[in-house]
Amino acid sequence: MKKIAVIGLGYVGLPLAALCAKKGFSVVGLESRREVVDVLASGDSHIKDAAVERLLAEANSSGNFYPTAVIEEIAGCEIFLICVSTPVDGDREPNLQPLIGALESISPYVKRGDLIVIESTVFPGTCEQIVLPILEQGTGMKAGTDFQLAHCPERVNLGDLFWTTENIPRVVGAITESGARQAAEFYASILGGQLFDVREIRKNLRPKFALVPDGYSVKQIPLGSVTMMRSIRDAEAVKAMENTVRDVNIAFVNELAKISDVLDLDVVDIIDGMATKPFGKGPFFPGVGVGGHCIAVDPEWLKTASKKAGYMPEIIQLSRMTNNGMPGYTVSLLQDALNDRGYPVKGTRVALLGVAYKRNVDDLRESPFYGVRELLEKKGAVLAVYDSWVESENTVSSLVSALSGAKAILIVTDHDDVVSELHEQDLRKHGIEVVIDGRNCLDAERVINQGVLYRGIGRRS
Ligand SMILES: NC(=O)c1ccc[n+]([C@@H]2O[C@H](COP(=O)([O-])OP(=O)(O)OC[C@H]3O[C@@H](n4cnc5c(N)ncnc54)[C@H](O)[C@@H]3O)[C@@H](O)[C@H]2O)c1
């Protein structure tokens, strides 16, 4: 079995390394954070996610997974999977430093015939214009002939128990056709799915309903399949654009929520109604804001690449502004609701529930929590912050302490455990008079029936 190096053991690299080990490859996981390596070496996961923990346990029992912070350990590897972060900097511009650093550090270990795959999300053109020259200079070899360079963007949906590293369909592109095939065959071997050429998808596989003699069938892209794109740029663009499509659609439903507010509609009912139409995409849902390392970041990369190439995509810019404005919108709902009940924001205790950017994960990156907290602190609210998945920002240690003495609740993250513990009938007992449901996760009627002022994002109240 081939020896694989996975560079960066974060949310993406750890489950990928574990999957490769489970499938029988000998895997060296290179991670620059020593504390992470220590946790992994002891057999534990530093990532709180049921799917990741399960895969890691399987990798550990296979005996094929070796986490390390020592670069020399990657010597002899034949496949290099780069999974370092690709964030944006303070000006929302792409920060390529982690990627460049990883490429420079692996270059001395790349040999003739090896395969290097970038899994990190990058803007179209990055692999050819930035990655390739660094690798050619560092290795002294020619990409495409001496070694292969491919891109296989990760699509894993953290916190999702169904769509995991083990089954999410992938796309692959490379700088040569033989490189694309080599990479695609490798991914098909770990995912166990079918291999497709992108030219087949439109004709045969794009999800669609079809009439068959005894009714209808739905064609689906099979689980764990790998689709070869025509180029490495196309593979880069698939990822950047699919996340941008999502961001723009979320921005749009956030607009629908605001429209629903002024037209006295309940946007959740409307979206549920729209979701019954069996074709078209979605549903997407409005909320307190878009976070995470993908949807809040990838559109910025795409926008920058497009702007540099001469076209400013206004709709991406507008969507980012809309989604970045949602924490402010949510805080204004709280301010108005408290005002209705005769309380100023200043000096009023507010239970701020949730720090993570989405439910049932411990990932804080780009979380709307930060915008909400900053605005409420500026206005002088007294905050009781509680997240059941991640403790770093908590000011209280339980949901009950967060509610105690609070006049209002503002939900940033709808973690299942917190939502199920928030019993509507107990709200008044805790003295809660206002609930701002930033995730539209509560039963509005039941909250209102308790005499509590309920405001969701675009919900009739
Ligand atoms: N998080 C997700 O759900 C998700 C989903 C799909 C795609 N992605 C993309 O995957 C990439 C990785 O994201 P992530 O969430 O796993 O990031 P992460 O920050 O969780 O993990 C990256 C890891 O790489 C390590 N690292 C950085 N430079 C290194 C080096 N030179 N050598 C060894 N280790 C190094 C970091 O210490 C960190 O642990 C990003 O491009 C992201 O956009 C993420």
Side-chain angles (χ1 to χ4, degrees), residues 126-142:
T126 309
C127 286
E128 285 162 316
Q129 291 155 19
I130 295 162
V131 173
L132 188 147
I134 293 173
L135 287 173
E136 288 193 337
Q137 200 189 3
T139 61
M141 293 191 287
K142 186 107 188 82

Side-chain angles (χ1 to χ4, degrees), residues 7-12 30-33 83-86 102 120-121 154 156 239 293-294 365:
I7 317 298
L9 297 177
Y11 291 101
V12 163
L30 183 70
E31 169 54 55
S32 51
R33 289 182 291 163
C83 304
V84 298
S85 58
T86 44
S120 304
T121 307
E154 179 57 75
V156 67
K239 174 72 187 182
H293 189 29
C294 292
R365 291 174 295 179

Side-chain angles (χ1 to χ4, degrees), residues 294-347:
C294 292
I295 312 293
V297 171
D298 301 353
E300 305 278 9
W301 283 64
L302 184 62
K303 186 185 78 186
T304 300
S306 179
K307 197 169 129 193
K308 278 194 183 140
Y311 176 67
M312 176 61 192
E314 302 285 353
I315 198 157
I316 299 182
Q317 171 91 334
L318 193 58
S319 300
R320 288 279 69 238
M321 279 166 58
T322 303
N323 288 338
N324 286 339
M326 291 311 288
Y329 178 76
T330 310
V331 167
S332 73
L333 293 179
L334 174 67
Q335 188 166 8
D336 290 350
L338 282 174
N339 191 40
D340 275 2
R341 288 285 163 119
Y343 299 107
V345 176
K346 191 171 183 171

Side-chain angles (χ1 to χ4, degrees), residues 5-280:
V6 176
I7 317 298
L9 297 177
Y11 291 101
V12 163
L14 180 60
L16 178 69
L19 175 61
C20 294
K22 175 184 164 179
K23 294 289 174 179
F25 290 96
S26 167
V27 182
V28 180
L30 183 70
E31 169 54 55
S32 51
R33 289 182 291 163
R34 279 179 187 278
E35 67 278 15
V36 167
V37 174
D38 290 344
V39 172
L40 293 171
S42 72
D44 290 334
S45 171
H46 65 103
I47 290 169
K48 203 169 150 187
D49 179 271
V52 176
E53 287 164 75
R54 193 191 60 229
L55 254 182
L56 182 62
E58 290 174 297
N60 286 337
S61 55
S62 75
N64 295 330
F65 176 49
Y66 179 64
T68 180
V70 179
I71 182 78
E72 288 81 8
E73 304 279 5
I74 68 170
C77 286
E78 294 143 280
I79 300 177
F80 298 81
L81 307 175
I82 314 289
C83 304
V84 298
S85 58
T86 44
V88 283
D89 62 19
D91 299 326
R92 313 299 297 168
E93 289 288 323
N95 174 2
L96 284 159
Q97 279 320 309
L99 180 62
I100 292 171
L103 296 169
E104 287 172 347
S105 65
I106 65 158
S107 288
Y109 300 93
V110 176
K111 311 175 300 310
R112 210 166 285 275
D114 287 352
L115 169 67
I116 300 165
V117 185
I118 309 301
E119 282 238 357
S120 304
T121 307
V122 289
F123 56 79
T126 309
C127 286
E128 285 162 316
Q129 291 155 19
I130 295 162
V131 173
L132 188 147
I134 293 173
L135 287 173
E136 288 193 337
Q137 200 189 3
T139 61
M141 293 191 287
K142 186 107 188 82
T145 44
D146 296 325
F147 64 89
Q148 293 297 347
L149 171 61
H151 180 51
C152 182
E154 179 57 75
R155 285 166 154 173
V156 67
N157 188 20
L158 195 71
D160 187 332
L161 291 179
F162 183 76
W163 291 113
T164 69
T165 308
E166 290 189 84
N167 64 12
I168 191 131
R170 296 290 205 113
V171 295
V172 174
I175 55 163
T176 62
E177 216 168 311
S178 59
R181 183 150 287 277
Q182 192 181 336
E185 281 170 0
F186 161 68
Y187 278 96
S189 78
I190 56 169
L191 294 170
Q194 282 170 271
L195 201 59
F196 298 113
D197 186 288
V198 70
R199 296 163 185 88
E200 297 170 74
I201 302 295
R202 182 151 175 216
K203 266 191 280 167
N204 305 317
L205 280 160
R206 209 150 70 174
K208 62 179 175 228
F209 293 93
L211 288 171
V212 292
D214 49 354
Y216 63 87
S217 72
V218 186
K219 287 197 174 178
Q220 291 286 3
I221 305 291
L223 291 184
S225 60
V226 181
T227 298
M228 276 186 291
M229 301 302 298
R230 292 173 198 244
S231 70
I232 202 161
R233 281 168 62 85
D234 282 6
E236 293 168 323
V238 166
K239 174 72 187 182
M241 290 190 180
E242 70 194 11
N243 278 349
T244 303
V245 165
R246 192 161 159 74
D247 193 49
V248 171
N249 276 286
I250 294 171
F252 187 59
V253 291
N254 279 327
E255 279 296 280
L256 296 184
K258 294 178 196 169
I259 294 171
S260 299
D261 247 359
V262 295
L263 295 184
D264 192 29
L265 296 163
D266 189 316
V267 80
V268 173
D269 286 347
I270 308 303
I271 290 171
D272 285 346
M274 293 194 300
T276 64
K277 184 172 170 175
F279 45 91

Side-chain angles (χ1 to χ4, degrees), residues 288 326-335 338 349-355 368-369 371-373 375-376 383-386 402-403 406-414 418 422 432 434-439 441-442 455 457:
V288 56
M326 291 311 288
Y329 178 76
T330 310
V331 167
S332 73
L333 293 179
L334 174 67
Q335 188 166 8
L338 282 174
R349 184 173 160 102
V350 176
L352 195 49
L353 302 184
V355 175
F369 161 81
V372 170
R373 181 176 68 178
L375 288 166
L376 286 175
L383 297 180
V385 177
Y386 177 66
L403 300 184
K407 284 278 168 272
I409 293 173
L410 192 159
I411 300 174
V412 172
T413 322
D414 48 346
V418 170
L422 263 183
I432 301 294
V434 164
V435 169
I436 305 299
D437 185 356
R439 296 294 177 187
C441 58
L442 299 183
R455 297 299 308 273
I457 307 294

